[in-house]
Amino acid sequence: MVAKQSGRNRGGGGGGTAAATEVSVEELARVPLQAILLADSFATKFRPITLERPKVLLPLVNVPMIDYTLAWLESAGVEEVFVFCCAHAKQVAEHLENSRWFAQPNFSVTAIESNNAVGAGDALRLIYEQNVIRGDFVLVSGDTVSNMSLAVALGEHKERRRKDSNAIMTMVITQSKTSPTTRQSRLGTDELFMAIDPDTKQLLYYEDKSDKGTVSLDKTLLSDHPSIYLHNDKQDCYIDICSPEVLSTFADNFDYQHLRRHFLKGLLDDDIMGYKIFTHEIQSNYAARIDNFRSYDTVSKDIIQRWTYPLVPDVQFFGNSSTKLDRQGMYRASVVGQSRSAQVGPFTVIGSGTTIGSQSQISNSVVGEGCKIGANVSIEGCYIWHNVTIEDGCQLKHAIVCDGVVIKSGVILEPGVVLSYKVVVGQQFIVPAYSKVSLYQQPIKQDSDEELEYADSSTGFMDASSLSGLPDKLKEESTIQLSESQLQAASEVGSGGVGFIWSTSEGSHEEEWRHSVAPIPPAKLLEIMHTSNNELEVVQQDGNLPPSGELERDSVTANSNDYDDDDVDVKDDYDFFENEVEATFKRALEENIKEDDVILEVNSLRLSYNLATADCSGALFYSMMKSALSAPHPSPSDLVKNAATVITKWEKLLKYYLPSIDEEIEVILKFEEMCLESAKEYSTVFVQILHLLYDKDIIQEEAILNWASEKEGADETDKLFVKQAEKFIQWLNEASEEED
């Protein structure tokens, strides 16, 4: 059921005591698993959209974000959820009441509303005063997508609590290497540094950015922790398993507002209370928080590519519309009107009631319900929400278009554009890259309170009733009150257009391209490389902390005693480089990125890792073959066909990194390695693929013969594929002799 409580009544008892109390496992087992879901991010990164609609109700692959979070909590065994609403609280409460969560058995959802909270700290203090949390609980935000099981992490947390009552929180983390060029993750978040005890998994240090390139650790940590691992390859999932003492700590510290910047760091620095925070790393499951437009893009792609299964478009997990999965990751609703000459490409979702005109092309995009797309329209890498009208001849690339927007004929949206609700773009107008357009003028204040004012105000340019409406109401025509300044604003978005183009404040332009749904331009990546400072060297070779207590970037471990390098599992730089190249190639496939742009990105990675051209050729070939392997292949011959398709399309790219015989031999060696380890399915078709590379003039005769010659003195186990290719090698030798 869904209930509502008001945050204005601040009476009631406490939710715990400041002193930690040891609770038995049996007592914890009798308490239903509860969760606190923060439905307000207390941030402005999704403006101007969130001036009209709360972030948690924004569509993510045509489903409100909060429904992903609630669906996961239900599947993970949570029985009671308290949803804290602040900005646009009434919209969130209405959504919960009108959704399937209202009457879900064994799963109650309670909305707690407040109009005066300015941060997560205020929210948790209010919930503490409500006295509703009775045991361990899950703390999560309503913009989180996950399919992880809570059983293991919850069990670890309870076991630690049984032994040590000061173990009050367990954070969920996952592997996520940041880009060496931009120093941000694939979710668009800053590089994160964590110091973790490898034996106990206790968190000892947390810093989400280090401008100086150094991390300072207190040397006294080593007296209690003989081994400390310093990581910059982890992602904070913002899923926390908490004990009641977390709430009482917020109640005792009114200056705590931010969950990480204040609370977490405060506990790590506090020697008095002795509270401890631990980590739980997930390996095969998915968990990510949508913090900015780039993470919105990344998580959307992950959903479409089914990393979040069963939370995917073709599985009805909370009353989402019926959608069918076709080939190449294309999802189509049952009622779609598509012209025969229109083309819908891979990794695309088309919502119910949408019509697509003749000669239009859509790829790597999400299109909502009830949209009208005209003829000769090109849409690439975009998020088109509900009831959008796009007239003939428009070009949209890597943009977000909100409900009710009208884009008149001949309009071009450059990468990174955001069009907020019911904006109208005039004919033939070109909206500049990274522009944000809204029916509201740009606010002067820069805090989340502004969104509360817009939500409660009836003096805005749009009729107030349309602001409190849910998606169904947005389908209706609403009255737009136009002031003189707004009529004047029509000229900002072309003839017949209506909307204000927000200006980018000085110093924030970098944030636009870093956090946009558009890929970072290759030219910008090269600029970053050329202007960035040289990387600081790794900490001293003996692994001890220097006298200052500073560990420089990329240090992996610090011990109070000397250690053997073989005992430490350190990933080789090439592994990270190969993963980065694979991600780049995967994005090139998804977004139809040109070969020249891929070359720029791979070159920037090569320079960042200080590697050779041969490393690029091997990594690119690996990425291509992995791509072919991921496509359906009922038989080995189908696998060869897949490989031929990928190689034929990208042969120019691969040849660019094969300037000499040495690089060609590197490709053969890489293929051998794949057949033996990471892609054993290729082992039976090694010769066919080698012959294909020869026929395409990618691998020359000399390279193949030299590779075979180098294997002559090798062990028999190392000659496996030379023997497979014996007849082919013999044919090459005979052909070479005839030429001589």
Side-chain angles (χ1 to χ4, degrees):
M1 77 177 182
V2 176
K4 287 199 289 186
Q5 297 184 17
S6 173
R8 296 183 182 87
N9 300 323
R10 303 183 66 83
T17 60
T21 56
E22 189 167 344
V23 184
S24 69
V25 175
E26 290 77 18
E27 184 178 349
L28 287 171
R30 291 196 297 271
V31 178
L33 182 57
Q34 299 173 300
I36 295 175
L37 187 155
L38 300 178
D40 194 322
S41 62
F42 302 101
T44 59
K45 293 179 181 178
F46 274 76
R47 284 190 177 187
I49 301 173
T50 49
L51 290 180
E52 304 178 48
R53 181 74 59 81
K55 178 183 170 186
V56 297
L57 294 188
L58 303 185
L60 181 70
V61 194
N62 293 340
V63 173
M65 288 186 197
I66 195 172
D67 284 344
Y68 286 94
T69 312
L70 289 170
W72 164 63
L73 290 174
E74 181 196 29
S75 68
V78 173
E79 298 173 67
E80 296 180 4
V81 181
F82 297 95
V83 180
F84 183 86
C85 318
C86 190
H88 308 288
K90 287 182 172 51
Q91 290 188 41
V92 178
E94 283 182 35
H95 173 77
L96 294 175
E97 290 173 359
N98 295 331
S99 68
R100 61 161 274 192
W101 306 118
F102 181 77
Q104 196 67 16
N106 303 318
F107 186 71
S108 69
V109 179
T110 301
I112 300 178
E113 299 180 25
S114 171
N115 289 329
N116 55 8
V118 298
D122 286 341
L124 296 180
R125 280 185 283 273
L126 189 148
I127 292 174
Y128 171 80
E129 293 175 359
Q130 298 279 349
N131 196 26
V132 294
I133 299 300
R134 302 187 297 278
D136 288 350
F137 63 95
V138 180
L139 178 59
V140 67
S141 59
D143 50 13
T144 300
V145 177
S146 179
N147 59 10
M148 70 171 286
S149 168
L150 286 172
V152 176
L154 190 63
E156 291 175 355
H157 176 79
K158 289 183 175 182
E159 179 63 20
R160 278 192 289 260
R161 285 276 292 163
R162 188 180 67 81
K163 297 177 180 178
D164 184 355
S165 59
N166 283 333
I168 67 169
M169 191 169 94
T170 300
M171 290 172 47
V172 176
I173 61 175
T174 188
Q175 185 87 10
S176 179
K177 177 66 177 176
T178 56
S179 165
T181 305
T182 62
R183 290 295 177 188
Q184 68 178 25
S185 72
R186 63 191 293 267
L187 295 174
T189 54
D190 290 327
E191 185 173 31
L192 177 62
F193 293 89
M194 289 184 182
I196 300 174
D197 185 315
D199 299 319
T200 65
K201 307 304 179 185
Q202 182 180 349
L203 181 70
L204 306 172
Y205 178 89
Y206 184 102
E207 182 64 53
D208 58 2
K209 194 171 184 180
S210 181
D211 293 328
K212 298 178 181 178
T214 60
V215 173
S216 299
L217 293 180
D218 187 346
K219 289 192 294 183
T220 59
L221 287 174
L222 292 176
S223 61
D224 297 324
H225 305 274
S227 181
I228 299 174
Y229 280 19
L230 180 61
H231 300 273
N232 70 338
D233 60 349
K234 306 297 180 189
Q235 182 76 43
D236 186 350
C237 300
Y238 285 88
I239 297 171
D240 303 327
I241 298 173
C242 306
S243 298
E245 286 79 10
V246 169
L247 294 180
S248 61
T249 301
F250 272 98
D252 294 338
N253 296 272
F254 281 89
D255 56 335
Y256 284 1
Q257 286 292 1
H258 195 277
L259 288 173
R260 297 297 187 253
R261 194 162 54 245
H262 299 150
F263 169 74
L264 190 145
K265 291 184 179 180
L267 260 59
L268 292 177
D269 295 337
D270 185 8
D271 296 328
I272 299 175
M273 297 300 296
Y275 287 149
K276 300 173 185 176
I277 299 172
F278 293 84
T279 61
H280 172 80
E281 183 171 357
I282 57 174
Q283 304 291 341
S284 57
N285 297 122
Y286 185 91
R289 183 190 176 200
I290 300 167
D291 179 67
N292 52 62
F293 287 123
R294 185 167 300 283
S295 52
Y296 177 89
D297 175 64
T298 300
V299 175
S300 296
K301 286 181 168 60
D302 290 342
I303 292 170
I304 293 170
Q305 294 172 23
R306 310 180 73 77
W307 292 104
T308 59
Y309 188 86
L311 306 183
V312 292
D314 60 315
V315 176
Q316 291 192 328
F317 53 94
F318 39 60
N320 52 326
S321 300
S322 176
T323 307
K324 181 183 178 183
L325 173 62
D326 291 334
R327 293 183 304 170
Q328 294 185 308
M330 190 187 76
Y331 299 84
R332 188 196 306 268
S334 55
V335 182
V336 173
Q338 179 181 337
S339 169
R340 289 188 177 182
S341 60
Q343 296 181 9
V344 177
F347 304 112
T348 297
V349 178
I350 306 295
S352 178
T354 287
T355 59
I356 307 170
S358 61
Q359 303 298 322
S360 289
Q361 297 183 344
I362 305 175
S363 63
N364 300 293
S365 299
V366 176
V367 180
E369 298 179 357
C371 295
K372 298 177 181 178
I373 300 172
N376 297 301
V377 172
S378 173
I379 300 175
E380 180 183 344
C382 292
Y383 298 94
I384 313 297
W385 294 358
H386 305 304
N387 303 304
V388 172
T389 299
I390 304 174
E391 296 183 357
D392 298 348
C394 294
Q395 298 178 36
L396 290 71
K397 196 169 185 179
H398 303 294
I400 293 179
V401 181
C402 297
D403 297 359
V405 166
V406 175
I407 302 175
K408 297 193 174 181
S409 60
V411 167
I412 296 176
L413 301 188
E414 294 187 341
V417 166
V418 175
L419 302 182
S420 194
Y421 295 98
K422 297 184 180 178
V423 162
V424 179
V425 183
Q427 289 184 355
Q428 307 295 323
F429 188 76
I430 300 176
V431 184
Y434 308 112
S435 296
K436 295 178 180 178
V437 187
S438 174
L439 291 184
Y440 284 106
Q441 287 182 299
Q442 189 166 5
I444 299 174
K445 294 175 65 177
Q446 294 298 319
D447 56 41
S448 58
D449 290 344
E450 189 80 28
E451 292 171 11
L452 297 179
E453 293 176 15
Y454 274 96
D456 297 334
S457 172
S458 60
T459 60
F461 294 124
M462 295 182 66
D463 184 78
S465 64
S466 68
L467 288 181
S468 60
L470 291 167
D472 289 341
K473 183 170 283 189
L474 283 170
K475 295 178 182 178
E476 304 170 2
E477 289 293 329
S478 62
T479 303
I480 300 178
Q481 310 292 336
L482 299 180
S483 66
E484 287 185 14
S485 60
Q486 191 166 5
L487 289 170
Q488 183 180 357
S491 61
E492 292 190 25
V493 285
S495 176
V498 181
F500 293 97
I501 297 181
W502 286 22
S503 61
T504 303
S505 60
E506 185 177 353
S508 66
H509 182 70
E510 180 176 330
E511 296 303 310
E512 297 297 329
W513 57 259
R514 279 183 177 273
H515 294 160
S516 169
V517 297
I520 299 176
K524 178 60 70 175
L525 292 173
L526 288 176
E527 180 185 329
I528 296 171
M529 282 175 27
H530 292 151
T531 57
S532 63
N533 296 326
N534 291 331
E535 292 293 319
L536 295 174
E537 295 183 356
V538 180
V539 73
Q540 298 172 356
Q541 291 298 319
D542 61 5
N544 291 325
L545 287 170
S548 65
E550 293 186 342
L551 275 176
E552 295 176 348
R553 178 176 280 151
D554 293 337
S555 298
V556 177
T557 182
N559 294 292
S560 59
N561 301 310
D562 290 341
Y563 63 87
D564 188 340
D565 287 342
D566 293 337
D567 295 332
V568 183
D569 183 17
V570 183
K571 284 196 173 183
D572 187 81
D573 275 350
Y574 180 77
D575 293 333
F576 288 128
F577 170 74
E578 191 174 74
N579 290 338
E580 293 276 359
V581 171
E582 185 180 2
T584 298
F585 183 73
K586 185 178 179 182
R587 187 160 56 82
L589 288 173
E590 296 169 358
E591 301 174 7
N592 295 320
I593 297 175
K594 295 179 180 178
E595 290 170 339
D596 291 342
D597 291 339
V598 177
I599 289 171
L600 282 173
E601 292 199 35
V602 173
N603 283 346
S604 69
L605 291 171
R606 179 178 66 83
L607 293 172
S608 298
Y609 283 97
N610 194 27
L611 295 174
T613 303
D615 297 312
C616 296
S617 60
L620 271 171
F621 180 75
Y622 171 84
S623 303
M624 293 177 185
M625 301 307 284
K626 284 290 290 291
S627 173
L629 190 62
S630 65
H633 51 279
S635 66
S637 61
D638 291 316
L639 180 58
V640 174
K641 290 178 182 177
N642 289 350
T645 300
V646 175
I647 290 170
T648 300
K649 181 177 179 180
W650 297 96
E651 61 179 293
K652 177 184 172 184
L653 174 64
L654 187 55
K655 286 180 179 179
Y656 178 87
Y657 290 102
L658 298 173
S660 69
I661 298 299
D662 290 339
E663 284 76 16
E664 294 177 16
I665 295 175
E666 178 66 27
V667 166
I668 303 175
L669 294 173
K670 169 57 71 174
F671 191 33
E672 274 191 296
E673 178 187 309
M674 291 182 68
C675 292
L676 291 170
E677 298 175 6
S678 60
K680 294 182 180 180
E681 285 186 68
Y682 280 117
S683 61
T684 59
V685 294
F686 178 89
V687 179
Q688 291 95 313
I689 301 295
L690 187 64
H691 209 302
L692 172 67
L693 294 171
Y694 173 77
D695 290 340
K696 293 287 183 183
D697 291 327
I698 294 172
I699 302 295
Q700 299 179 54
E701 172 187 321
E702 184 181 353
I704 298 172
L705 295 178
N706 286 359
W707 161 73
S709 177
E710 290 174 4
K711 296 281 186 176
E712 288 180 1
D715 295 335
E716 289 301 312
T717 55
D718 202 24
K719 294 181 180 180
L720 175 63
F721 297 108
V722 173
K723 289 184 176 180
Q724 278 193 25
E726 209 165 34
K727 292 184 179 179
F728 180 43
I729 294 170
Q730 182 181 352
W731 177 79
L732 289 176
N733 275 317
E734 291 173 354
S736 178
E737 290 173 1
E738 288 178 5
E739 288 180 5
D740 293 340

